[in-house]
Each structure stands twice: as structure tokens, then as C-alpha cells.
Amino acid sequence: MGGGEGRNGGGGGRPTSKDVARRAGVSHTAVSFVFNGRAEGNLSPATQERIRAAAVELGYRPDPVARGLRRRRTAVIGLVTDEIASSPFAGRLLRGAMDTAWNHDHLVLTIDTGGDPAKEDAAVAELLDRRVDGIIYAAMSLRRVRVPEGLHRTHSVLANCLPEDDSLPAVVPAERAGGRTAARLLLAAGHRRVAMVGGQGDIASVERLRGFRDALRAEDVPLPKEWVVRTGGEIAAGYEGAARLLDGAAPHHRPTGLFCYNDRVAAGVLHAAARLGIAVPEDLSVIGYDDQEHMAAFLTPPLTSVALPHRAMGEAATRLLLDTIDTGRTPPATVRRIACPVVSRSSVGQAPTR
């Protein structure tokens, strides 16, 4: 069949950068410039394009292991989290982290510890042994966390949690601002008799209520103590709280707008309102929190909710970590808060006039 060269220019093995250089008619150094990010200012755009075209033609891909050894990096970051398998929000945070890492030529190695401190320490030790470039520690509910053993030995960022010792940078939802957003939405619809249902003493519920009060105070709208009903975070808690506020109360003595700790609580509120013959949103407006996938949009009516920015947190934490890796400088142990946008549906309407 003749003595022509194989597709890689020299045989049946994996094509090399030298093969690309021969095909493009350039030096091996020029190829290295292109694939190590040093081409700008050293090579003309036409030469860069010729090298990339030769690489595509040969099926050449830079060897990440060799490149990592030269740069003392592995192009892998670790992500340790407490409950990936059981959280409805985990996929969004993971996708944000993985897509951002991929766009910066990194992979994400993920370990789910189930919240076991011993497993967390072991997971971090394993990642350090594998020479990852840095680690994100993520929690699936906003809380203060014990920093796992070994996390300070590499570049590290926390996502959706705060370090107990305030020693590492963290990316969290702007919960207080989210509470203000919910209140302003009700105020803009004319509601002046409003209440909050659900939650206990966790960071999220405290911050959401604080923001809710901020916005009401700015408009001189009172929030009676008895209209802050702390019942928990499940559907039954929402039903119980709504029944406590609405059952037996005359229309002009009950709230016309309810801000719920989360979407599960809001589902209970909607169920209680239906049982009591109170129409939503005609007689009662309801706002949830989380924008829980496969839930908020399918309630009756579809629920207006303040969305937790899990994907944006994954993106922001990964960008912060990669910037730290690139610069080699440890950022200050600051807290970056990510906006919680409103997803408007059909559960909020104008306040009734009676």
C-alpha cells in the first residue's frame, strides 16, 4: 500500500507536539507557545492558526500529566461535600463548579462524606496525596462548619458554608438581601399585613427574617411578634403555621401576604389555605424560598420563590479558587455573598381591598 506516513506523521502511536511542528512547518518551541498559553506577542495569529489546524488534523492533544509536571500542577481540583447524594440542590452547585473548571482546563474530583468528620479529614488527605491544585469544601445547607484537617495545606475555598474559625474565604447566598427582596415584592403589590412562616434559629432563617424586617421597617410597616411563626422547614410545618395565622381569623385581621422560610413550608401554606377556602393569590399572596426544582413550579398555584443561587455559588467558588491557584496568593478570609433572584410565578397578587 506504499510507504506514506500514518495520520500522526510517524506511525501508529499518539501524535506528539513534534509531529504538529513538522506538519505546520514551525519549530517545536512555537507549538509549545500555543499550547502553554504564551503565543500572544511571540507568534503571529496566522502561525497560531496554522499550528492549531495541524493539531486538529493529527488529532493531537497536549499531555495534561506532562504539562502539569512542568507547571507543578495537576489541572484537577477537589470538591468535598457533606451530602451530594441526598440534596435536591447538589446538582446545580456541582454543575456550576464543573463547568467553570472545565472552561479553565481543570477537572473536578468530587467526594461525598455524608457529613462524617473522620471521612472529611480522610477525603482531604486523599486529595492532597493526589496533588490536586486546590479544594472546595461545600455544604448543602448554610451553616458554620468545622474546617477539615489539612484544608489549610492547599488553596481552599468554602461554598454555602462559613468556617467556624473564620480562617478561609467563603461564598454564600445573600440571605438577608433575599429576605428584603421578598418583602419588597409584597409591599409593591400593596400588602401591609404580612407575616413570616417556618424556619427555626439557623443562619438562613435568621438572615431572611432580618432582611424581611429591614424592608418593612423602611416603609413603616409593622410585623407583629405573633406573625412570625417559627415551625420548622417541612410541609407539615407550613400547614401548622398557616393554620395558626389564618384559621378562624376575620379577613381584616389576618395577613394578606406570607413569606415562607422555604418552598416546602410554602407548599404546606398553600394546602392550609385551600382547606380553609382562602384563595391564592386573590385573598392571600405566598412567597417561597429556594426555588426547589420539580416543586415550586408545580404547586397550585405555581409558587413565586426567591431562588438559592447554588449554580452561581459553584461558579464563584471555583473562579475564586482558580484565581488563587494562578496567582499563588491566598485571598483574605472574606465572605462573598451571591444574589438570590426572585422567580415570579402566580402565587403573588395585589393585596385585597377589604
Side-chain angles (χ1 to χ4, degrees), residues 35 64 67 71 74-77 98-108 133 322:
F35 291 104
R67 186 170 55 180
R71 301 169 65 197
T74 59
V76 176
I77 61 175
M98 289 190 294
D99 286 352
T100 302
W102 181 264
N103 290 336
H104 291 81
D105 300 319
H106 276 68
L107 296 178
V108 178
D133 294 340
L322 292 173

Side-chain angles (χ1 to χ4, degrees), residues 39-328:
E40 293 303 319
N42 289 310
L43 300 173
S44 70
T47 300
Q48 293 181 49
E49 180 58 33
R50 195 161 75 249
I51 291 169
R52 294 186 190 282
V56 170
E57 185 180 345
L58 292 172
Y60 167 76
R61 293 180 63 210
D63 184 339
V65 174
R67 186 170 55 180
L69 289 172
R70 288 193 298 271
R71 301 169 65 197
R72 296 182 180 275
R73 297 183 189 171
T74 59
V76 176
I77 61 175
L79 194 154
V80 177
T81 187
D82 52 4
E83 46 187 293
I84 285 177
S86 60
S87 170
F89 308 110
R92 298 181 191 177
L93 192 148
L94 284 173
R95 179 55 58 193
M98 289 190 294
D99 286 352
T100 302
W102 181 264
N103 290 336
H104 291 81
D105 300 319
H106 276 68
L107 296 178
V108 178
L109 178 57
T110 303
I111 303 177
D112 182 348
T113 66
D116 182 329
K119 288 183 179 178
E120 289 178 348
D121 293 344
V124 171
E126 181 67 24
L127 291 170
L128 292 173
D129 285 345
R130 291 172 181 267
R131 304 288 195 271
V132 296
D133 294 340
I135 298 175
I136 297 170
Y137 178 88
M140 290 302 120
S141 60
L142 180 59
R143 56 189 175 86
R144 286 203 170 268
V145 297
R146 159 195 169 272
V147 176
E149 182 82 19
L151 213 58
H152 293 106
R153 289 168 50 200
T154 188
H155 303 298
S156 299
V157 174
L158 271 56
N160 200 36
C161 55
L162 298 164
E164 286 180 344
D165 57 4
D166 296 320
S167 62
L168 291 172
V171 177
V172 300
E175 299 281 18
R176 187 170 182 173
R180 286 195 292 267
T181 297
R184 288 168 182 161
L185 193 63
L186 292 172
L187 292 169
H191 295 274
R192 294 298 181 269
R193 301 198 309 271
V194 297
M196 181 171 177
V197 179
Q200 295 289 0
D202 59 288
I203 294 174
S205 61
V206 169
E207 288 296 292
R208 292 170 193 179
L209 176 58
R210 188 173 295 166
F212 194 64
R213 289 187 190 276
D214 289 344
L216 297 181
R217 193 178 298 115
E219 297 293 328
D220 293 322
V221 173
L223 180 61
K225 183 178 179 180
E226 63 272 18
W227 281 10
V228 177
V229 183
R230 292 300 201 191
T231 53
E234 300 305 321
I235 293 175
Y239 185 94
E240 175 192 341
R244 200 182 302 177
L245 286 167
L246 304 173
D247 194 7
H252 58 284
H253 284 152
R254 70 189 185 212
T256 63
L258 291 185
F259 172 41
C260 301
Y261 168 66
N262 62 24
D263 293 346
R264 294 189 299 277
V265 168
V269 167
L270 293 176
H271 182 47
R275 291 285 296 271
L276 294 170
I278 297 172
V280 177
E282 293 80 7
D283 300 319
L284 178 70
S285 289
V286 179
I287 299 178
Y289 209 110
D290 294 349
D291 191 36
Q292 187 165 332
E293 194 173 8
H294 308 307
M295 182 176 190
F298 299 97
L299 294 171
T300 303
L303 181 67
T304 291
S305 185
V306 180
L308 277 175
H310 279 92
R311 182 186 176 97
M313 279 192 291
E315 293 171 346
T318 305
R319 281 196 300 269
L320 178 57
L321 183 62
L322 292 173
D323 287 347
T324 303
I325 292 165
D326 285 341
T327 62

